[in-house]
Amino acid sequence: QVQLVESGGGAVQAGGSLRLSCAASGSMLSINALGWYRQAPGKQRELVANIITAPRSTNYANSVKGRFTISRDNAKNTVYLQMNSLKPEDTAVYYCNAHQSTWGGEYDYWGQGTQVTVSS
């Protein structure tokens, strides 16, 4: 079992910045990816950014490349999402995700979500 606790959401004007944090706890041995997804009203949940453990890589949605940066502090088991130059279309609930891959199959853990609202 993995528990994910997010923090750092809020309201900001366009062009502003926010940093989201996600503290992970529990059994992390089989977690091969940590990242962030978002879901806007009436839309499907989409990948924003993630970090793959092995081979190490990061992935970003095209819409956030150059503006958002994902990072991980292994000592704290925390993943961050630095969001700069925010746009109104970034408004959504942001969810932390931990992807588990074992011989038994794949499983996704989710945080409770944190609201990000960007006003024009």
Side-chain angles (χ1 to χ4, degrees):
Q1 286 283 350
V2 173
Q3 295 78 42
L4 303 171
V5 179
E6 300 131 337
S7 60
V12 66
Q13 289 191 328
S17 299
L18 285 172
R19 188 175 84 152
L20 305 182
S21 300
C22 173
S25 61
S27 178
M28 299 293 291
L29 290 178
S30 299
I31 300 299
N32 67 348
L34 283 172
W36 293 91
Y37 286 68
R38 68 185 181 188
Q39 188 167 18
K43 294 187 177 181
Q44 289 190 330
R45 191 172 296 190
E46 62 175 358
L47 174 69
V48 177
N50 68 358
I51 297 176
I52 308 296
T53 301
R56 182 63 177 258
S57 66
T58 57
N59 302 288
Y60 292 92
N62 287 334
S63 59
V64 307
K65 282 181 181 177
R67 300 188 298 121
F68 291 10
T69 302
I70 189 170
S71 61
R72 178 177 178 177
D73 185 331
N74 290 323
K76 296 181 179 180
N77 266 342
T78 299
V79 62
Y80 303 97
L81 185 68
Q82 178 66 44
M83 305 185 293
N84 299 327
S85 301
L86 282 160
K87 304 175 180 180
E89 50 264 43
D90 294 318
T91 295
V93 177
Y94 284 69
Y95 296 91
C96 183
N97 168 267
H99 184 75
Q100 180 184 63
S101 181
T102 68
W103 290 110
E106 313 279 327
Y107 189 80
D108 283 297
Y109 294 94
W110 298 95
Q112 79 280 5
T114 185
Q115 177 70 46
V116 171
T117 302
V118 184
S119 58
S120 57

